[in-house]
Amino acid sequence: MLSRLIEISLENRFIVICATLLMAVAGLNAAVHLPIDAVPDMTNVQVTVMTEANSLSPVEVERFVTYPVEWTMGGLPGIEELRSVSKFGISVVTIVFKEGTDLYQARQLVSQRLPDAAAQIPAGYGQPRLGPLTTALGEILQFEVRGRQQTPMELRSILEWEIAPRLRAVSGITEINVHGGYYKSFEVRPDPLRLSSFGLTLEDIFARLSENNATAGGGYVVHDDEQRFIRGQALLKDVEDVQEIVLRREANGVPVLIRDVAEVDIAPLTRQGAVTRDGRGEAVVGMAMMLVGANSREVVERVKQRLEEIAPTLPPGVEIEVIYDRSALISRTLHTVVKNLFEGGSLVVLVLLTTLGSLRAGLVTAMAIPLSMMFATNMMSFFGVTASLMSLGAIDFGLIVDSSVIMVENCIHRLSHNAEGRSRIDVIRDATIEVRQPTMFGELIIAIVYLPILMLQGTEGKLFRPMALTILFALLGSLILSMTFVPAMASLALPKKVKADDVWLIRAIKWFYRPWVTRAIAHPVLTAGIAASIFLVSLPVAMNLGAEFMPRLEEGDLLIEVNRLPSASLEGSIGLSTRIEKLLLEFPEVKTVFCKTGRPEIANDVMGVQQTDVWVMLKPHHEWTEHHNREELIAAMSAKLNEQIPAATFGFTQPIEMRVDELVAGVKADVAVLIYGDDLALLGKRAKEIERLLKTIPGAVDVKADYQANLTTLTVVPRRDALARYGVDAQKVLDVVSAIGGHEVGQIFEGRARYPIVVRLPEAWRGDVSLISQLPVAEAGGKPIPLGELADIQLEETPPSVEHDQNRRRTFVAANVRGRDVASFVAEAQAAVRDKIQLPAGYEIRWGGDFENLQSASLRLVLITPIVLLLIFLLLHTTFRSVRLALLIYLAVPMAASGGIFALALRGLPFSISAGVGFIALFGVAVLNGLVWVSAAEHLRRAGKPLDELTAETALSRLRPVLMTAMVASLGFLPMALSSSDGAEMQRPLATVVIGGLITSTLLTTFVVPAIYPWFVRERARL
């Protein structure tokens, strides 16, 4: 079949070339519209249920809201993990489904259960709703709305009601999250003393406000054969309307109005978050959240274009400034990928032109590189594979061009020996048909190496499956082109006569190689012993490499997590964040700084007011003046912040890294010690002990226990006997309590904007416990009954948050690791915790964060690697029908592994999943080299050549193809291994392993295999 395909391609060269060009044009179009991101989206399949729980404490949120939601969602099919966090006024339950579950189906399953969950939540304690349809990479753009004359409240209203609705209409945007500023409200502040003097209660105000702010429909009447609709409208429009509401009419006919007992004003709603920027005070920020599966590059451009269109329509003086743009990171990593691919491809072409000895042959072979990539982009577009640092960055053009190299090299060989004067097309047809099987077999070996990578699951699967698919697509394209386009172009472009001599470079290498290989063949035991020694020496080196999940992608920006005591106020946090910004702006590498304290309206990050995320936008690295790298800058920043601001703890990470860690693992850190139990106080105590212990372990930075201290809570508990004595309902007591923070009773509409009407006690009454106890609740005998008479008012300690995992309470201690590998750090930390931390029965400790991903991925690599090796062995056995020869070629695997290990050690790189995938890819290339050599030797042996002659002859004749295969593969990865630009750290371990392994495996093929080949064929090598 393959022979016929080659013949048809040569008979229809014009059609084949035209079809290839059409494929290339389609590939270019696909590449332009291909979804591109910096890294693959590693978020698992999860659905978030959020419930705003008014002003309930964390324990009350857990009891009344979180438990009902968890119980309702617990029986859903395909659930892998169920975790939650209950904080002041909010519950967030995250339901993680098994990998492969359709996200829309998962959301549908959850939404079907939401009514059941809502029915179990007491009235007035919140309505559960689904979180936005986005992922960890969904926060693609943030912008500040600034105004010279507008207040933060006015800017917030402009963003909320003028900018955000128009941005939500942009294709690919699922939500616009608003953070900072003040949300406008119409605040009614009743004076408790005036209420008492008029014999009124808060319940009267609640009722009158609701009854005087409504609309009604009266159907329609027919007038002169026309319908006239009837409606009544009693909507409040402004402060004056609220002030004029009648509360009661006195006996003398004089009405008591709201303005007689209360002040009415426009005031900010109680908030749980704020934003500051560049040390100049509060700011108003919008965050564009991308729909899952959308093309981030295109969506960012559409949002920025829409912002430019909106800007001229805003009030005078209002400006929009983009402060975080994901496309900047995408552009930097894309530049790294394109630069590395171009440099690697150029080196491969240079090798081809140098070693093939023919400019035309080199160009024909090199054309397979871009054409194979165009084929791959078509397939990526069809199968929905996103282009990223991982999917494109690990492509080695040396591997892709292998099949075309074999074809063209044999064509040149046959043309140089065309003594009969046959036509060029006949010679090329015979030459390509002759090597069709080894060509396909070589591509098959490489493909089989990458196929098991598709079995990776979880975070590592999301990282490396796109890479494996892209390489498989490119290999398929290369194989098809080698059977169709390359023969057609070779028949047109190659010269009719080619010199049989090697090029000068190959001649020089052979001159140096001949005496050494002769010595190796003469001393096979010594040669084999040296090879075995190299492998044995690599074993202890491998044991001391250390391990980490993945190298940290340099995003180009920093995110600093700041924590204060849970009792800290929002106002205090704002002052702190302003000081932090001023300190960080002293570093010349910093472009801008903004701090996000607490949580925004859509709580995609459930933080308390004591928690602040500091976004540090850095200048391009070539503009840095004082610090040479990221580690130096972080160390300097950490030292300054800890010295100047002792009342807080600081943790350094990056924007995307933080969101991925939090959404995937629930903890924003490299390592998390998860402690499970029921007693929150005991959990908090053990967490502090583990925090102190981890701080003593080398490499631990940013160590902090989630549970630092309790919150002081003022609790009002009605006394049943007092309620019965005065005939007062408990609800009236609770109405007074809700009015302390603000009791919403309706809305006022201003165009499409809507603002709440809130009844809230004056600030003078809210801040003093003694005054709170005097708040009038009801009347008895014409006298007001104070709150202190009806309820116990006491100060209590409550936890700042309550976390659940699989319906169990948990807390955690988070730590980042710098200056050493994660695996050795965790091993030392686990030993220390086992020795010094004692837990009672029913309590347990688990280790999570990035370390958990490393464990999972390592286990899968342990399962996948033997499968890869077994498949390669079966292919080799199928080819030679000999176990001995298969084992001979198989010796390349340990030798290649040794080279990869030495390369990692020399560069100071720990073992990572990226390096592990590099080892898997390396084994295929190393085996391919051995296959080329043994195939040639077997051909001569069957022709009757003596063993002592054929080993030397094969070593010299196969030197060029062996070196070409190794050089194009290793040089294709060289730019990735040496690059220091953004994103290169993800590719560096993989490229380092392949290059180092190819050096040792090539030495094995060129020296060791010729020396020991007679050992494997002296007897009949068939089993």
Side-chain angles (χ1 to χ4, degrees), residues 332-348:
R332 292 196 303 270
T333 53
L334 186 62
H335 175 264
T336 298
V337 169
V338 172
K339 177 174 175 288
N340 289 346
L341 290 179
F342 176 77
E343 291 175 354
S346 300
L347 289 172
V348 169

Side-chain angles (χ1 to χ4, degrees), residues 868-1008:
V868 171
L869 298 176
L870 178 61
L871 289 174
I872 292 174
F873 185 83
L874 291 176
L875 273 176
L876 295 174
H877 184 268
T878 302
T879 304
F880 296 107
R881 303 291 180 185
S882 168
V883 173
R884 292 189 178 188
L885 290 177
L887 288 173
L888 173 62
I889 298 172
Y890 223 63
L891 291 175
V893 171
M895 282 300 292
S898 300
I901 291 167
F902 288 132
L904 288 175
L906 286 172
R907 302 199 68 188
L909 298 174
F911 176 82
S912 63
I913 305 307
S914 175
V917 172
F919 277 110
I920 291 176
L922 170 64
F923 295 156
V925 186
V927 166
L928 194 58
N929 262 343
L931 175 67
V932 170
W933 197 97
V934 173
S935 297
E938 281 295 286
H939 179 74
L940 292 176
R941 187 172 70 87
R942 291 192 180 97
K945 278 265 186 181
L947 283 177
D948 54 347
E949 293 182 17
L950 74 85
T951 51
E953 183 177 336
T954 304
L956 291 170
S957 65
R958 292 292 88 191
L959 182 62
R960 183 172 76 169
V962 167
L963 287 180
M964 281 181 63
T965 303
M967 288 174 67
V968 294
S970 56
L971 291 177
F973 273 128
L974 188 62
M976 302 178 199
L978 300 180
S979 176
S980 59
S981 52
D982 290 334
E985 53 281 335
M986 301 283 281
Q987 305 167 322
R988 194 174 296 131
L990 189 153
T992 299
V993 164
V994 173
I995 293 172
L998 280 175
I999 292 172
T1000 52
S1001 67
T1002 303
L1003 289 173
L1004 174 95
T1005 305
T1006 53
F1007 289 100
V1008 182

Side-chain angles (χ1 to χ4, degrees), residues 193-425:
L193 296 179
R194 290 189 195 174
L195 283 176
S196 297
S197 66
F198 282 103
L200 296 169
T201 65
L202 289 172
E203 196 173 37
D204 294 325
I205 294 181
F206 297 160
R208 298 292 89 76
L209 283 169
S210 297
E211 293 167 358
N212 285 273
N213 187 34
T215 61
Y220 67 90
V221 296
V222 178
H223 180 76
D224 294 335
D225 291 332
E226 291 182 346
Q227 276 188 346
R228 291 186 177 178
F229 291 95
I230 302 170
R231 67 186 183 97
Q233 181 175 308
L235 292 176
L236 298 171
K237 297 183 179 64
D238 49 34
V239 171
E240 287 71 23
D241 283 356
V242 177
Q243 290 174 334
E244 297 302 316
I245 291 176
V246 177
L247 292 173
R248 190 180 67 196
R249 185 174 294 278
E250 300 284 11
N252 59 6
V254 177
V256 179
L257 306 179
I258 285 222
R259 58 182 164 85
D260 295 327
V261 297
E263 294 180 0
V264 182
D265 200 359
I266 293 175
L269 200 63
T270 303
R271 57 181 181 161
Q272 290 296 319
V275 178
T276 58
R277 184 180 175 202
D278 289 341
R280 54 179 167 78
E282 291 204 44
V284 179
V285 170
M287 180 195 304
M289 304 178 75
M290 184 181 72
L291 182 70
V292 60
N295 186 336
S296 58
R297 179 183 56 169
E298 293 182 355
V299 174
V300 168
E301 291 306 315
R302 285 198 290 265
V303 172
K304 289 197 290 189
Q305 182 180 352
R306 188 66 176 130
L307 286 174
E308 290 177 2
E309 295 170 357
I310 292 172
T313 68
L314 299 176
V318 177
E319 301 172 348
I320 299 174
E321 181 184 355
V322 174
I323 55 178
Y324 175 74
D325 183 357
R326 172 73 56 75
S327 64
L329 174 61
I330 296 172
S331 298
R332 292 196 303 270
T333 53
L334 186 62
H335 175 264
T336 298
V337 169
V338 172
K339 177 174 175 288
N340 289 346
L341 290 179
F342 176 77
E343 291 175 354
S346 300
L347 289 172
V348 169
V349 172
L350 181 63
V351 170
L352 295 174
L353 294 176
T354 304
T355 55
L356 285 174
S358 168
L359 177 61
R360 296 184 188 181
L363 292 176
V364 169
T365 309
M367 289 175 70
I369 294 175
L371 292 174
S372 297
M373 281 306 302
M374 293 303 100
F375 182 90
T377 55
N378 279 315
M379 298 292 285
M380 291 171 71
S381 177
F382 181 79
F383 286 100
V385 178
T386 300
S388 69
L389 184 67
M390 297 306 299
S391 60
L392 295 179
I395 291 178
D396 184 357
F397 290 139
L399 300 180
I400 291 173
V401 84
D402 247 353
S403 55
S404 298
V405 168
I406 295 171
M407 283 284 187
V408 174
E409 201 253 353
N410 202 49
C411 288
I412 292 175
H413 177 72
R414 292 293 294 267
L415 286 170
S416 66
H417 292 83
N418 184 23
E420 299 87 356
R422 299 170 61 204
S423 66
R424 177 172 55 182
I425 193 169

Side-chain angles (χ1 to χ4, degrees), residues 99-100 390 449-468 549-550 853-865 867 913-914 916-918 920:
E99 201 64 43
M390 297 306 299
V449 165
Y450 282 97
L451 277 175
I453 295 176
L454 300 178
M455 297 168 55
L456 289 172
Q457 298 294 320
T459 305
E460 63 275 12
K462 293 178 182 295
L463 272 172
F464 290 105
R465 276 201 303 267
M467 178 200 79
F549 175 58
M550 282 293 294
N853 294 329
L854 173 63
Q855 282 187 313
S856 169
S858 299
L859 179 61
R860 291 197 174 273
L861 280 180
V862 168
L863 297 174
I864 286 172
T865 304
I867 295 174
I913 305 307
S914 175
V917 172
I920 291 176

